[in-house]
């Protein structure tokens, strides 16, 4: 069944890069009745309003934590059909924090928001053009305080560039390029033959509850008092990036002439967003995969984008013909290294992040004595299964020092660098340089620190009505 776009919040359809600024208003509910009455008077932007030549000046979206839903009147029993990870919360216990890499300075005890009295109940996401966002956000904040909310914090993104180029994250790399294509009209059916190869499109149920996912199953309770259909779980993590530390380490490790080359190997893309040399099979920034580079000579196996999306189909080497497919299915072809990474279609994330803070060119950041500035990423992603999608990607692919059969290598950008229990290090990065020579970078610092985070439920419009009518 096709998705009813009138019942879906617009963030699922678009990241609204043309609206250059964002405000993330995080608030707690102190008066449930007044809060619900105020929310009923606000209308979130719908997915049906996106595209077809329509130009939006503002976008408003709502999402709620478990604590927020409880504050609005839902009982624990009424919420028990929701994802256990959502009910537990991102900062619920030390084991989850360890799996997500939220340890050391990134541990929830150090967060600026997301725990205790600074755990938000509601996220109000405002998107608008830079000349309008500040006044609008101030108006919404005043209204919220006057209608049963206490503000935890309001976070701002950087204004997006006015040119048509891609957004840049604080390390300087083009960002937001690799996004799954949602099958809004339910045209695709999982197929053992077709799904052997990597494909960018995914079933709507990978993002939206109440629709078939890549397993052919439908997630989400269709009968409870909280309408889950057309809702999605939203992950929000505030990631602080040490720009001078990143480029300073690269300068020391590879010298001024080799720093950019090593950085591009660590990310897995050229700094302008293009595929690394030798990977492209078309003109676009997404016209590449890793099928022809199984050993990581062109793009290192541990590179950030190769971990976040390995671009692997159900068969690591893709379609092999009728006989080859049969032999591969029987486990008579392939090797352990080829089977070390799960099929990507079950683990995609729809990302909606934006950078914040002071921007600095790599050349400036590499200078001796360059000041450390506050910069980072408001990382937001949407998924229907927190366990199978976000937590799997974060824990098994990004943070894991044994991803894809590697050893002692965490993600080169966001890795926690925590040693194994036997004290073996995890701060290595193996790659091949431009001449094809194998190299090992050692002693990598931690470049990204978590400053806050929470799991939210982004309801559909009917779901929002069931919440505010509670």
């Amino acid at each position: 069944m096709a998705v009813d776009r009138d019942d879906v919040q617009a963030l699922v359809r678009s990241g609204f890069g043309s609206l250059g600024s964002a405000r993330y208003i995080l608030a707690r509910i102190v008066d449930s009745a007044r809060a619900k009455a105020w929310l009923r008077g606000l209308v979130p932007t719908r997915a049906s309003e996106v595209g077809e030549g329509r130009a939006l000046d503002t976008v408003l979206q709502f999402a709620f934590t478990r604590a927020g839903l409880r504050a609005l009147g839902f009982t624990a029993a009424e919420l028990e059909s929701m994802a256990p990870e959502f009910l537990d919360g991102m900062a619920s216990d030390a084991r989850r924090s360890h799996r997500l890499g939220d340890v050391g300075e990134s541990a929830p005890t150090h967060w600026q928001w997301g725990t205790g009295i600074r755990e938000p109940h509601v996220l109000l996401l405002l998107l608008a053009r830079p000349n309008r966002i500040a006044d609008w956000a101030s108006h919404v904040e005043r209204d919220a305080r006057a209608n049963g909310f206490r503000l935890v914090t309001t976070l701002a993104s950087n204004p997006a560039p006015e040119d048509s180029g891609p957004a840049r994250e604080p390390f300087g790399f083009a960002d937001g390029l690799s996004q799954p294509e949602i099958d809004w009209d339910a045209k695709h059916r999982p197929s053992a033959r077709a799904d052997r190869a990597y494909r960018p499109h995914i079933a709507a149920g990978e993002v939206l509850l109440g629709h078939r996912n890549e397993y052919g199953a439908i997630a989400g309770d269709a009968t409870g008092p909280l309408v889950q259909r057309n809702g999605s779980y939203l992950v929000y993590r505030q990631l602080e990036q040490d720009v001078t530390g990143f480029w300073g380490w690269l300068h020391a490790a590879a010298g001024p002439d080799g720093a950019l080359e090593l950085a591009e190997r660590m990310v897995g893309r050229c700094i302008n967003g293009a595929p690394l040399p030798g990977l492209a099979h078309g003109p676009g920034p997404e016209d590449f995969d890793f099928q022809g580079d199984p050993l990581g000579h062109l793009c290192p196996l541990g590179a950030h984008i190769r971990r976040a999306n390995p671009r692997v189909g159900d068969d690591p080497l893709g379609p092999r013909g009728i006989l080859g497919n049969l032999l591969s299915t029987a486990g008579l072809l392939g090797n352990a290294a080829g089977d070390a990474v799960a099929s990507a279609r079950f683990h995609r994330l729809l990302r909606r992040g934006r950078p914040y803070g002071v921007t600095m060119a790599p050349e400036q950041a590499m200078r001796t004595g360059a000041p450390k500035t506050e910069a980072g990423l408001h990382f937001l992603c949407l998924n229907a299964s927190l366990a199978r999608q976000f937590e799997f990607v974060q824990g098994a692919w990004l943070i894991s020092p044994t991803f894809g059969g590697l050893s002692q290598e965490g993600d080169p950008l966001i890795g926690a660098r925590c040693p194994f229990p036997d004290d073996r290090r995890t701060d290595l990065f193996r790659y091949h340089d431009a001449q094809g020579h194998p190299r090992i970078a050692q002693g990598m610092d931690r470049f990204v620190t978590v400053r806050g985070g929470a799991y939210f439920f982004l309801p559909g419009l009917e779901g929002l009505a069931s919440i505010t009518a509670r």
Side-chain angles (χ1 to χ4, degrees), residues 15 50 68 143 193 203 206 223 371 377:
V50 179
D143 272 5
R193 178 181 298 178
E206 291 296 302
T223 61
L377 187 71

Short mmCIF file of all heavy atoms in Angstrom, two decimals, residues 15 50 68 143 193 203 206 223 371 377:
data_model
loop_
_atom_site.label_atom_id
_atom_site.label_comp_id
_atom_site.label_asym_id
_atom_site.label_seq_id
_atom_site.Cartn_x
_atom_site.Cartn_y
_atom_site.Cartn_z
N GLY A 15 15.15 16.92 3.76
CA GLY A 15 15.96 17.58 4.78
C GLY A 15 15.90 19.08 4.69
O GLY A 15 16.44 19.78 5.54
N VAL A 50 5.66 18.77 0.16
CA VAL A 50 7.02 18.82 -0.37
C VAL A 50 7.01 18.47 -1.85
O VAL A 50 6.36 17.51 -2.27
CB VAL A 50 7.93 17.83 0.39
CG1 VAL A 50 9.35 17.87 -0.17
CG2 VAL A 50 7.93 18.16 1.88
N GLY A 68 8.32 12.16 27.56
CA GLY A 68 7.34 13.13 27.12
C GLY A 68 5.96 12.52 26.96
O GLY A 68 4.95 13.12 27.35
N ASP A 143 5.90 31.28 23.45
CA ASP A 143 4.60 30.60 23.50
C ASP A 143 4.70 29.30 24.29
O ASP A 143 3.79 28.96 25.07
CB ASP A 143 4.12 30.31 22.08
CG ASP A 143 3.32 31.46 21.50
OD1 ASP A 143 3.24 32.51 22.17
OD2 ASP A 143 2.79 31.32 20.39
N ARG A 193 16.69 -12.72 -6.21
CA ARG A 193 17.58 -12.45 -7.34
C ARG A 193 18.00 -10.99 -7.37
O ARG A 193 19.19 -10.67 -7.40
CB ARG A 193 16.91 -12.83 -8.65
CG ARG A 193 17.77 -12.53 -9.89
CD ARG A 193 17.04 -12.89 -11.18
NE ARG A 193 16.75 -14.31 -11.24
CZ ARG A 193 16.09 -14.88 -12.25
NH1 ARG A 193 15.64 -14.14 -13.26
NH2 ARG A 193 15.87 -16.19 -12.26
N ALA A 203 12.39 -0.19 1.28
CA ALA A 203 10.96 -0.23 1.55
C ALA A 203 10.58 0.88 2.54
O ALA A 203 11.37 1.24 3.42
CB ALA A 203 10.57 -1.59 2.12
N GLU A 206 11.12 0.58 6.34
CA GLU A 206 12.42 0.77 6.98
C GLU A 206 12.50 2.11 7.70
O GLU A 206 13.38 2.32 8.54
CB GLU A 206 13.54 0.67 5.94
CG GLU A 206 13.74 -0.73 5.38
CD GLU A 206 14.18 -1.72 6.43
OE1 GLU A 206 15.22 -1.50 7.07
OE2 GLU A 206 13.46 -2.72 6.65
N THR A 223 -3.32 -0.97 16.96
CA THR A 223 -4.55 -1.00 17.75
C THR A 223 -4.50 -0.17 19.04
O THR A 223 -5.53 0.08 19.64
CB THR A 223 -4.89 -2.45 18.14
OG1 THR A 223 -3.83 -3.00 18.94
CG2 THR A 223 -5.07 -3.30 16.89
N PRO A 371 43.46 28.17 17.24
CA PRO A 371 42.59 28.06 18.42
C PRO A 371 41.54 26.97 18.25
O PRO A 371 41.01 26.76 17.15
CB PRO A 371 41.93 29.45 18.49
CG PRO A 371 41.94 29.93 17.07
CD PRO A 371 43.21 29.39 16.45
N LEU A 377 28.12 18.66 14.83
CA LEU A 377 27.01 18.24 13.98
C LEU A 377 25.79 17.91 14.83
O LEU A 377 25.90 17.18 15.82
CB LEU A 377 27.42 16.99 13.18
CG LEU A 377 26.44 16.49 12.12
CD1 LEU A 377 26.41 17.44 10.93
CD2 LEU A 377 26.82 15.09 11.66
#
